[in-house]
PDB file of all heavy atoms in Angstrom:
ATOM      1  N   CYS A  73       8.501 -19.581 -23.743  1.00  0.00           N
ATOM      2  CA  CYS A  73       8.019 -20.957 -23.764  1.00  0.00           C
ATOM      3  C   CYS A  73       6.498 -20.972 -23.618  1.00  0.00           C
ATOM      4  O   CYS A  73       5.951 -20.299 -22.735  1.00  0.00           O
ATOM      5  CB  CYS A  73       8.661 -21.753 -22.632  1.00  0.00           C
ATOM      6  SG  CYS A  73      10.453 -21.883 -22.743  1.00  0.00           S
ATOM      7  N   GLY A  74       5.831 -21.736 -24.464  1.00  0.00           N
ATOM      8  CA  GLY A  74       4.379 -21.835 -24.405  1.00  0.00           C
ATOM      9  C   GLY A  74       3.647 -20.746 -25.157  1.00  0.00           C
ATOM     10  O   GLY A  74       2.420 -20.665 -25.071  1.00  0.00           O
ATOM     11  N   GLN A  75       4.384 -19.913 -25.923  1.00  0.00           N
ATOM     12  CA  GLN A  75       3.760 -18.811 -26.641  1.00  0.00           C
ATOM     13  C   GLN A  75       4.189 -18.834 -28.109  1.00  0.00           C
ATOM     14  O   GLN A  75       5.318 -19.203 -28.439  1.00  0.00           O
ATOM     15  CB  GLN A  75       4.164 -17.469 -26.022  1.00  0.00           C
ATOM     16  CG  GLN A  75       3.661 -17.274 -24.605  1.00  0.00           C
ATOM     17  CD  GLN A  75       2.153 -17.138 -24.543  1.00  0.00           C
ATOM     18  OE1 GLN A  75       1.556 -16.241 -25.131  1.00  0.00           O
ATOM     19  NE2 GLN A  75       1.515 -18.051 -23.831  1.00  0.00           N
ATOM     20  N   GLY A  76       3.260 -18.411 -28.978  1.00  0.00           N
ATOM     21  CA  GLY A  76       3.580 -18.297 -30.401  1.00  0.00           C
ATOM     22  C   GLY A  76       3.954 -19.633 -31.010  1.00  0.00           C
ATOM     23  O   GLY A  76       3.227 -20.627 -30.873  1.00  0.00           O
ATOM     24  N   ASN A  77       5.115 -19.671 -31.679  1.00  0.00           N
ATOM     25  CA  ASN A  77       5.576 -20.905 -32.319  1.00  0.00           C
ATOM     26  C   ASN A  77       5.920 -21.987 -31.308  1.00  0.00           C
ATOM     27  O   ASN A  77       6.021 -23.165 -31.665  1.00  0.00           O
ATOM     28  CB  ASN A  77       6.810 -20.616 -33.189  1.00  0.00           C
ATOM     29  CG  ASN A  77       6.475 -19.687 -34.348  1.00  0.00           C
ATOM     30  OD1 ASN A  77       5.349 -19.672 -34.836  1.00  0.00           O
ATOM     31  ND2 ASN A  77       7.454 -18.902 -34.778  1.00  0.00           N
ATOM     32  N   LEU A  78       6.131 -21.601 -30.063  1.00  0.00           N
ATOM     33  CA  LEU A  78       6.491 -22.557 -29.013  1.00  0.00           C
ATOM     34  C   LEU A  78       5.300 -22.867 -28.104  1.00  0.00           C
ATOM     35  O   LEU A  78       5.468 -23.213 -26.945  1.00  0.00           O
ATOM     36  CB  LEU A  78       7.642 -21.999 -28.175  1.00  0.00           C
ATOM     37  CG  LEU A  78       8.925 -21.669 -28.945  1.00  0.00           C
ATOM     38  CD1 LEU A  78       9.949 -21.028 -28.019  1.00  0.00           C
ATOM     39  CD2 LEU A  78       9.511 -22.918 -29.591  1.00  0.00           C
ATOM     40  N   GLU A  79       4.092 -22.725 -28.655  1.00  0.00           N
ATOM     41  CA  GLU A  79       2.880 -22.915 -27.855  1.00  0.00           C
ATOM     42  C   GLU A  79       2.808 -24.304 -27.248  1.00  0.00           C
ATOM     43  O   GLU A  79       2.323 -24.494 -26.130  1.00  0.00           O
ATOM     44  CB  GLU A  79       1.651 -22.652 -28.720  1.00  0.00           C
ATOM     45  CG  GLU A  79       0.339 -22.718 -27.955  1.00  0.00           C
ATOM     46  CD  GLU A  79      -0.863 -22.425 -28.827  1.00  0.00           C
ATOM     47  OE1 GLU A  79      -0.665 -22.134 -30.020  1.00  0.00           O
ATOM     48  OE2 GLU A  79      -1.994 -22.491 -28.320  1.00  0.00           O
ATOM     49  N   LYS A  80       3.310 -25.316 -27.967  1.00  0.00           N
ATOM     50  CA  LYS A  80       3.261 -26.694 -27.478  1.00  0.00           C
ATOM     51  C   LYS A  80       4.502 -27.072 -26.676  1.00  0.00           C
ATOM     52  O   LYS A  80       4.697 -28.239 -26.341  1.00  0.00           O
ATOM     53  CB  LYS A  80       3.093 -27.651 -28.664  1.00  0.00           C
ATOM     54  CG  LYS A  80       1.757 -27.484 -29.386  1.00  0.00           C
ATOM     55  CD  LYS A  80       1.601 -28.494 -30.495  1.00  0.00           C
ATOM     56  CE  LYS A  80       0.254 -28.343 -31.195  1.00  0.00           C
ATOM     57  NZ  LYS A  80       0.093 -29.325 -32.309  1.00  0.00           N
ATOM     58  N   GLN A  81       5.346 -26.089 -26.397  1.00  0.00           N
ATOM     59  CA  GLN A  81       6.570 -26.340 -25.629  1.00  0.00           C
ATOM     60  C   GLN A  81       6.621 -25.371 -24.442  1.00  0.00           C
ATOM     61  O   GLN A  81       7.361 -24.395 -24.453  1.00  0.00           O
ATOM     62  CB  GLN A  81       7.793 -26.167 -26.528  1.00  0.00           C
ATOM     63  CG  GLN A  81       7.833 -27.203 -27.649  1.00  0.00           C
ATOM     64  CD  GLN A  81       8.684 -26.737 -28.811  1.00  0.00           C
ATOM     65  OE1 GLN A  81       8.343 -25.760 -29.480  1.00  0.00           O
ATOM     66  NE2 GLN A  81       9.781 -27.428 -29.049  1.00  0.00           N
ATOM     67  N   PRO A  82       5.807 -25.636 -23.416  1.00  0.00           N
ATOM     68  CA  PRO A  82       5.656 -24.661 -22.316  1.00  0.00           C
ATOM     69  C   PRO A  82       6.737 -24.737 -21.238  1.00  0.00           C
ATOM     70  O   PRO A  82       6.783 -23.887 -20.357  1.00  0.00           O
ATOM     71  CB  PRO A  82       4.299 -25.036 -21.722  1.00  0.00           C
ATOM     72  CG  PRO A  82       4.196 -26.517 -21.953  1.00  0.00           C
ATOM     73  CD  PRO A  82       4.909 -26.788 -23.245  1.00  0.00           C
ATOM     74  N   LEU A  83       7.619 -25.762 -21.285  1.00  0.00           N
ATOM     75  CA  LEU A  83       8.580 -25.974 -20.201  1.00  0.00           C
ATOM     76  C   LEU A  83       9.991 -25.586 -20.640  1.00  0.00           C
ATOM     77  O   LEU A  83      10.355 -25.735 -21.809  1.00  0.00           O
ATOM     78  CB  LEU A  83       8.562 -27.436 -19.752  1.00  0.00           C
ATOM     79  CG  LEU A  83       7.201 -27.987 -19.316  1.00  0.00           C
ATOM     80  CD1 LEU A  83       7.288 -29.478 -19.050  1.00  0.00           C
ATOM     81  CD2 LEU A  83       6.699 -27.251 -18.087  1.00  0.00           C
ATOM     82  N   LEU A  84      10.779 -25.099 -19.682  1.00  0.00           N
ATOM     83  CA  LEU A  84      12.162 -24.702 -19.955  1.00  0.00           C
ATOM     84  C   LEU A  84      13.109 -25.781 -19.439  1.00  0.00           C
ATOM     85  O   LEU A  84      13.009 -26.224 -18.293  1.00  0.00           O
ATOM     86  CB  LEU A  84      12.473 -23.375 -19.271  1.00  0.00           C
ATOM     87  CG  LEU A  84      13.834 -22.754 -19.602  1.00  0.00           C
ATOM     88  CD1 LEU A  84      13.875 -22.300 -21.060  1.00  0.00           C
ATOM     89  CD2 LEU A  84      14.124 -21.570 -18.681  1.00  0.00           C
ATOM     90  N   PHE A  85      14.052 -26.196 -20.333  1.00  0.00           N
ATOM     91  CA  PHE A  85      15.008 -27.251 -19.985  1.00  0.00           C
ATOM     92  C   PHE A  85      16.424 -26.683 -19.989  1.00  0.00           C
ATOM     93  O   PHE A  85      16.834 -26.001 -20.933  1.00  0.00           O
ATOM     94  CB  PHE A  85      14.908 -28.404 -20.996  1.00  0.00           C
ATOM     95  CG  PHE A  85      15.958 -29.467 -20.798  1.00  0.00           C
ATOM     96  CD1 PHE A  85      15.843 -30.395 -19.779  1.00  0.00           C
ATOM     97  CD2 PHE A  85      17.062 -29.533 -21.649  1.00  0.00           C
ATOM     98  CE1 PHE A  85      16.810 -31.370 -19.602  1.00  0.00           C
ATOM     99  CE2 PHE A  85      18.029 -30.504 -21.477  1.00  0.00           C
ATOM    100  CZ  PHE A  85      17.907 -31.429 -20.452  1.00  0.00           C
ATOM    101  N   TYR A  86      17.181 -26.940 -18.895  1.00  0.00           N
ATOM    102  CA  TYR A  86      18.568 -26.491 -18.769  1.00  0.00           C
ATOM    103  C   TYR A  86      19.502 -27.608 -19.241  1.00  0.00           C
ATOM    104  O   TYR A  86      19.371 -28.755 -18.798  1.00  0.00           O
ATOM    105  CB  TYR A  86      18.895 -26.145 -17.310  1.00  0.00           C
ATOM    106  CG  TYR A  86      18.075 -25.024 -16.725  1.00  0.00           C
ATOM    107  CD1 TYR A  86      16.883 -25.289 -16.056  1.00  0.00           C
ATOM    108  CD2 TYR A  86      18.495 -23.706 -16.836  1.00  0.00           C
ATOM    109  CE1 TYR A  86      16.126 -24.262 -15.508  1.00  0.00           C
ATOM    110  CE2 TYR A  86      17.744 -22.673 -16.289  1.00  0.00           C
ATOM    111  CZ  TYR A  86      16.563 -22.963 -15.635  1.00  0.00           C
ATOM    112  OH  TYR A  86      15.826 -21.945 -15.100  1.00  0.00           O
TER     113      TYR A  86
END
Side-chain angles (χ1 to χ4, degrees):
C73 298
Q75 295 292 300
N77 296 331
L78 301 176
E79 184 179 358
K80 295 183 179 179
Q81 295 158 295
L83 304 174
L84 187 68
F85 174 77
Y86 298 91

